[in-house]
Amino acid sequence: MQRFGPSEGLFGHMGLSDKDIVALSGGHTLGQCYKECSGFEGPWTTNLLIFDNSYFKELLSGDKEGLIQLPSDKTLLEDLVFRPSVEKYAAICKTF
């Protein structure tokens, strides 16, 4: 199986940088998963109607009852290239 670095995958071929990919994931601060659409169910944040950096804060705080963290979300923490952007966006909402 051929492996690609973060920016060499699907989004990289679309011209997105690693920072762009993390920022795009921050869109999960709004809304939630629906089982019939994705197989997963639940919100990523406690207030799914406010666009802020809470997705990144929740991601860094770990699993919490009532909130979802998908494998793709957790990858942002495990990847040495993505994690610094997660931490930066969690710390400073304006940066996100």
Side-chain angles (χ1 to χ4, degrees):
M1 175 158 95
Q2 187 175 10
R3 296 255 181 212
F4 297 99
S7 62
E8 297 171 19
L10 174 66
F11 292 116
H13 289 293
M14 298 169 102
L16 297 176
S17 70
D18 295 330
K19 245 196 268 190
D20 295 336
I21 293 166
V22 176
L24 181 63
S25 297
H28 287 158
T29 200
L30 295 173
Q32 64 182 38
C33 286
Y34 293 94
K35 194 167 192 123
E36 59 274 5
C37 296
S38 66
F40 298 97
E41 188 159 2
W44 285 271
T45 64
T46 55
N47 193 335
L48 49 114
L49 299 176
I50 294 181
F51 189 76
D52 59 12
N53 64 340
S54 59
Y55 165 77
F56 299 110
K57 290 179 177 182
E58 295 293 354
L59 194 56
L60 286 170
S61 72
D63 291 327
K64 287 187 182 169
E65 188 175 332
L67 298 181
I68 192 167
Q69 288 188 358
L70 301 175
S72 57
D73 299 315
K74 292 181 180 190
T75 296
L76 298 177
L77 296 178
E78 297 163 2
D79 187 278
L80 297 176
V81 175
F82 290 150
R83 187 174 180 114
S85 293
V86 171
E87 292 171 346
K88 183 191 284 187
Y89 296 150
I92 306 169
C93 187
K94 199 170 195 174
T95 301
F96 168 57

